Amino acid sequence: MAISSPLEAFLNGSERVFWGYLLVSAIIALVWYVRQGNTLSWVQLKRYWWSLDARLDYRYFLVNWLIKTLLILPVLLSGQTVALWTLSALNAVADPLFLPWYYRDIVLLYTLSLFVLEDLSRYALHRWMHSNPWLWKIHQVHHSAEALNPLTFYRLHPLENILFALRHAVVAGMVTGVFIFCFGARVNLYTVLGGNLFIVSLFAFTGNLRHSHIRLGYGRWLERVLISPAQHQVHHQRRHMRHNFGSALAIWDGLFGTLKVSIEAPDDRSFGLGDGKRRHFDSVRKLLMQPFFSIYSSIRRTLK
């Protein structure tokens, strides 16, 4: 099996840290920072990009890539398999519809449907990671960062990577199967740089600012529709972790009562887990093993 380089994430337009997105985010961040009346120095840049959390994220990014490439991806359920199962199930109860829609309309609807349902499923799983005590012990790895940078996006435990990858396979596979049943094998995506048109359009410019200290808000009205970088930073604040579970769209948070617009949350930079918990997540080994220790301890307490 060929093993790609971890650096390909910076060259792949479907990845959050594609170099073009990073460059645009850096320009936006610089403009925002200067407009706030701040001055930028190399000392500040070094302090930010070479902080303890940043260095840990760099190391963990490489280790997590290796685990995902060697252990996770080879055994994961694929979206193609789910699509075939879905199509077989539909064919067992009815004949394919083969609706005579224009190809352009099919592709646009497929792209939009996949985007919306992917986003809803991400919201649901993310919220479950917070509400379920066992899953929270896994998701704590991501929230352990007290200083945010773009690679914090990849500070996810391998078990969480598996859950989100399975979520993607199920959603993408089921949507694809339904569309093939309805329209035949004319299903395709509108893409930009290899990614879903809608996702790239929303994330390309500000996606990397979500895990940063650049508190860029979209305003009270727009933040009820789209999740801004500031809103995701609010989610990383200890007192507001029960808000803003959305990935791209804020409408799910609004519908299910978890929305917090950024203007309602003071910028106190209280990232991380607090209560001295950082020491449990201050190395690559601890990021990988601490969830297992926590789950084991909980099981022991339950059995006593």
Side-chain angles (χ1 to χ4, degrees):
M1 179 182 63
I3 301 177
S4 60
S5 164
L7 296 179
E8 286 188 11
F10 301 96
L11 304 175
N12 186 343
S14 64
E15 288 285 341
R16 182 79 65 90
V17 291
F18 173 60
W19 70 267
Y21 306 156
L22 288 171
L23 178 60
V24 173
S25 294
I27 294 172
I28 293 173
L30 180 60
V31 172
W32 179 92
Y33 197 77
V34 172
R35 285 176 63 90
Q36 299 296 312
N38 300 312
T39 57
L40 197 61
S41 68
W42 287 112
V43 174
Q44 290 173 307
L45 288 173
K46 182 179 179 180
R47 186 183 301 124
Y48 176 74
W49 290 106
W50 204 244
S51 68
L52 291 175
D53 273 303
R55 281 179 282 167
L56 177 57
D57 283 333
Y58 304 152
R59 297 194 300 272
Y60 189 70
F61 174 77
L62 296 174
V63 172
N64 211 10
W65 163 82
L66 191 62
I67 293 173
K68 184 186 297 186
T69 302
L70 295 180
L71 301 179
I72 297 178
L73 292 181
V75 299
L76 272 181
L77 180 70
S78 72
Q80 183 178 12
T81 300
V82 176
L84 291 174
W85 290 347
T86 302
L87 188 58
S88 296
L90 292 172
N91 285 331
V93 298
D95 293 328
L97 300 180
F98 297 126
L99 300 175
W101 285 30
Y102 288 115
Y103 177 73
R104 174 201 60 203
D105 297 336
I106 296 172
V107 175
L108 180 60
L109 181 61
Y110 176 65
T111 305
L112 179 60
S113 299
L114 194 56
F115 164 69
V116 171
L117 293 175
E118 278 264 355
D119 202 68
L120 174 58
S121 67
R122 286 186 67 89
Y123 169 87
L125 181 52
H126 187 189
R127 184 171 179 178
W128 193 30
M129 298 292 293
H130 279 260
S131 61
N132 182 285
W134 304 103
L135 295 180
W136 171 240
K137 297 180 189 305
I138 298 169
H139 190 54
Q140 278 184 324
V141 168
H142 182 66
H143 278 276
S144 64
E146 295 182 356
L148 307 179
N149 70 85
L151 284 186
T152 306
F153 172 74
Y154 296 94
R155 189 190 282 205
L156 299 174
H157 193 272
L159 292 178
E160 182 167 349
N161 278 327
I162 290 174
L163 288 175
F164 272 91
L166 289 174
R167 171 209 59 81
H168 170 73
V170 170
V171 173
M174 291 183 69
V175 172
T176 302
V178 168
F179 267 77
I180 293 176
F181 178 80
C182 292
F183 303 106
R186 296 193 293 159
V187 176
N188 208 338
L189 271 178
Y190 278 130
T191 62
V192 175
L193 296 173
N196 185 301
L197 168 68
F198 296 103
I199 294 177
V200 172
S201 298
L202 291 175
F203 280 154
F205 300 114
T206 61
N208 286 300
L209 298 180
R210 294 173 177 234
H211 294 95
S212 76
H213 291 195
I214 302 300
R215 194 176 170 90
L216 177 63
Y218 292 161
R220 186 182 294 271
W221 180 85
L222 190 54
E223 286 188 349
R224 297 185 183 279
V225 181
L226 303 175
I227 292 289
S228 71
Q231 280 176 290
H232 192 73
Q233 292 159 21
V234 168
H235 173 71
H236 272 270
Q237 293 175 224
R238 290 189 286 276
R239 69 179 67 180
H240 297 303
M241 286 185 184
R242 297 288 181 175
H243 296 98
N244 300 345
F245 297 109
S247 178
L249 300 175
I251 57 176
W252 317 122
D253 285 292
L255 285 172
F256 300 111
T258 56
L259 182 69
K260 175 76 71 173
V261 294
S262 59
I263 198 171
E264 295 176 354
D267 182 13
D268 60 10
R269 304 289 174 88
S270 58
F271 304 139
L273 300 171
D275 300 325
K277 293 181 180 179
R278 189 186 186 284
R279 69 181 186 278
H280 299 302
F281 300 92
D282 60 3
S283 71
V284 171
R285 179 181 62 81
K286 291 179 181 179
L287 289 175
L288 292 173
M289 299 306 300
Q290 182 59 39
F292 296 115
F293 294 146
S294 298
I295 291 172
Y296 173 73
S297 298
S298 295
I299 293 175
R300 286 196 60 183
R301 287 194 297 270
T302 302
L303 294 178
K304 283 185 179 178

